[in-house]
Amino acid sequence: MVRGEDAAYRQFYDAYFDRLSRYLLVVAGGEEEVAREALQAALVRVVRHIKVFPDEAAFWRWLTVLARSAFADEIRKHRRYAAFLDRFTRHVEIQPGDNDEADVELLALLERQLAELPPEERELVEQKYFARRPVRELAAAGDKFEKAIESWLVRIRRKLRDAMLAGLKRETES
């Protein structure tokens, strides 16, 4: 594997994939999706950082360190994502009060800006943030990579933010 041989990786995969998968499932407390994500990240790290070890025990210890690190990164990623969704939905789910004209106007502006998005972008936003479909599912449905969907969502959010700010500026000037 250090020399980049495919056969060596296949041998590693056959010997350690199931063992590492079970290990991460235990570390993840039975959360299969988190364990799978951490396993994929750990396998990428193995390929990137592989080195020669004196024995199998040392190699396994190194693998478990990579796996735990990948698991911790996945947990952080899920927390950041959940926090983002919470912030986003708090802005989207504005419930106007009795005298909150600003809230009503802001909600109306957001609805107008969403309506002005191209249909495929609007559909992606609705599926991701209103239907709460995971990026993995959206990527599979659109036959795209997850990173491509995430990047697209970033660009759409920026476009919405800029359009909202421009709309607010026009309203305050008039």
Side-chain angles (χ1 to χ4, degrees):
M1 280 179 53
V2 173
R3 291 188 301 272
E5 296 176 4
D6 289 339
Y9 180 77
R10 281 191 291 276
Q11 184 179 2
F12 157 77
Y13 185 89
D14 291 341
Y16 289 98
F17 181 83
D18 289 337
R19 185 176 176 191
L20 204 51
S21 179
R22 287 189 304 269
Y23 175 79
L24 280 167
L25 190 57
V26 169
V27 169
E31 293 288 331
E32 291 181 26
E33 183 177 337
V34 175
R36 273 194 305 271
E37 292 291 327
L39 178 61
Q40 291 302 313
L43 292 174
V44 168
R45 291 175 187 190
V46 167
V47 171
R48 286 186 180 157
H49 305 289
I50 191 68
K51 56 187 175 182
V52 178
F53 291 89
D55 56 31
E56 195 274 336
F59 181 62
W60 177 249
R61 284 191 302 272
W62 181 74
L63 283 176
T64 60
V65 168
L66 284 181
R68 283 191 312 268
S69 174
F71 171 73
D73 290 347
E74 283 302 311
I75 292 298
R76 278 191 294 276
K77 184 169 90 173
H78 282 274
R79 285 184 186 145
R80 282 192 309 267
Y81 183 69
F84 165 76
L85 280 181
D86 184 52
R87 285 191 312 272
F88 185 79
T89 55
R90 265 189 272 135
H91 292 293
V92 171
E93 295 173 355
I94 296 172
Q95 299 297 322
D98 294 334
N99 297 321
D100 292 337
E101 287 183 37
D103 288 346
V104 172
E105 291 173 15
L106 188 60
L107 184 57
L109 179 60
L110 177 60
E111 289 173 353
R112 282 194 307 274
Q113 295 306 323
L114 284 170
E116 290 180 15
L117 288 175
E120 57 194 16
E121 290 181 356
R122 185 174 51 252
E123 177 66 22
L124 182 62
V125 168
E126 288 172 356
Q127 289 297 311
K128 176 64 186 143
Y129 300 111
F130 301 124
R132 297 181 186 256
R133 290 181 61 195
V135 170
R136 171 180 285 133
E137 192 177 304
L138 295 170
D143 199 29
K144 297 186 184 321
F145 291 108
E146 289 179 40
K147 291 292 182 186
I149 296 295
E150 290 171 357
S151 296
W152 195 11
L153 285 166
V154 167
R155 289 190 302 273
I156 294 169
R157 287 191 306 266
R158 284 185 188 142
K159 185 190 298 187
L160 277 172
R161 181 195 64 207
D162 293 345
M164 293 282 295
L165 290 174
L168 289 171
K169 184 177 179 182
R170 279 192 304 275
E171 287 180 9
T172 57
E173 290 174 352
S174 53

